[in-house]
């Protein structure tokens, strides 16, 4: 029952993913959440984010930012990144993920998603049929509605880890 919320991978950070391996495996598009996935909530693109997107471009990836934030926030982050973006995406609705693939010219089988929340990011990616990578939040300061969701996420992640141990063992 909880499996719909399980990511395909759970990693420490968007900055430790082996993107070159995903490219070798045929992935050509990456959809990213912004806040607490790439930078702390509300922060502009920093040097690490700029370097990541430069690297992804050099590999041949198309990238799209998919955010539930308003246009002003997403544009502010994207100024130095230059990716496609969709604001006010209503994640976990599939529509934003589908629009992202359309913008990048990718398909479900050639697109991966990277985000920090199970109930919006991962759930939406899973519903759309995308490979999903959950990353740990960059910063503990979050809006109150996210704080409440994090408590529920801990329960889901407990069962996710338990299942992963069973598969590995």
């Amino acid at each position: 029952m909880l499996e719909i919320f399980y990511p395909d991978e759970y990693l420490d950070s968007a900055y430790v993913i082996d993107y070159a391996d995903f490219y070798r495996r045929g992935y050509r598009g990456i959809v990213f959440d912004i806040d607490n996935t790439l930078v702390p909530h509300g922060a502009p693109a920093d040097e690490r984010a700029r370097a990541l997107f430069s690297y992804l471009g050099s590999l041949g990836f198309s990238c799209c930012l998919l955010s539930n934030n308003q246009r002003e926030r997403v544009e502010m982050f994207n100024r130095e990144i230059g990716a496609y973006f969709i604001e006010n995406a209503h994640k976990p609705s599939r529509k934003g993920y589908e629009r992202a693939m359309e913008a990048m010219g990718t398909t479900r089988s050639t697109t991966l998603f990277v985000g920090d929340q199970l109930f919006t990011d991962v759930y939406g990616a899973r519903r759309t049929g995308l490979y999903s990578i959950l990353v740990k939040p960059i910063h503990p300061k979050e809006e109150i509605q996210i704080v409440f969701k994090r408590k529920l996420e801990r329960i889901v992640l407990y069962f996710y880890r338990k299942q992963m141990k069973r598969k590995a063992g």
Side-chain angles (χ1 to χ4, degrees):
M1 175 178 136
L2 295 176
E3 287 83 4
I4 190 66
F5 300 111
Y6 291 177
D8 292 294
E9 293 186 45
Y10 182 30
L11 301 172
D12 286 338
S13 164
Y15 298 99
V16 301
I17 296 169
D18 187 348
Y19 294 103
D21 181 57
F22 279 101
Y23 195 85
R24 281 190 295 276
R25 291 166 40 192
Y27 288 89
R28 295 298 180 262
I30 307 172
V31 180
F32 284 97
D33 175 56
I34 300 171
D35 287 323
N36 253 344
T37 296
L38 295 168
V39 293
H41 187 81
D46 57 16
E47 182 54 41
R48 189 165 68 156
R50 289 190 298 271
L52 174 63
F53 281 86
S54 176
Y55 171 67
L56 294 173
S58 74
L59 288 175
F61 277 109
S62 289
C63 295
C64 185
L65 306 171
L66 186 66
S67 177
N68 284 346
N69 279 302
Q70 299 303 307
R71 185 174 192 91
E72 182 181 338
R73 162 64 182 131
V74 181
E75 278 184 336
M76 183 262 289
F77 177 84
N78 195 46
R79 271 188 205 115
E80 296 186 52
I81 299 298
Y84 296 106
F85 69 87
I86 297 166
E87 79 281 351
N88 200 22
H90 300 287
K91 293 181 285 183
S93 170
R94 289 189 300 260
K95 189 177 230 175
Y97 297 85
E98 290 165 352
R99 286 180 53 211
M101 288 184 290
E102 186 178 316
M104 296 185 298
T106 60
T107 65
R108 285 169 174 75
S109 63
T110 62
T111 306
L112 64 110
F113 180 86
V114 180
D116 71 298
Q117 292 188 51
L118 285 178
F119 301 127
T120 51
D121 296 333
V122 170
Y123 180 52
R126 293 284 309 250
R127 291 179 65 219
T128 309
L130 302 183
Y131 190 92
S132 63
I133 301 175
L134 177 69
V135 296
K136 293 177 182 172
I138 287 178
H139 195 275
K141 182 180 177 285
E142 296 185 296
E143 296 173 338
I144 191 68
Q145 71 271 17
I146 296 172
V147 171
F148 290 130
K149 284 193 277 185
R150 294 287 186 207
K151 293 179 186 305
L152 295 172
E153 283 184 355
R154 279 191 223 119
I155 296 166
V156 175
L157 287 171
Y158 168 81
F159 289 104
Y160 168 78
R161 288 183 185 106
K162 197 171 173 176
Q163 180 176 323
M164 292 300 106
K165 282 182 183 174
R166 261 196 315 269
K167 284 183 179 179

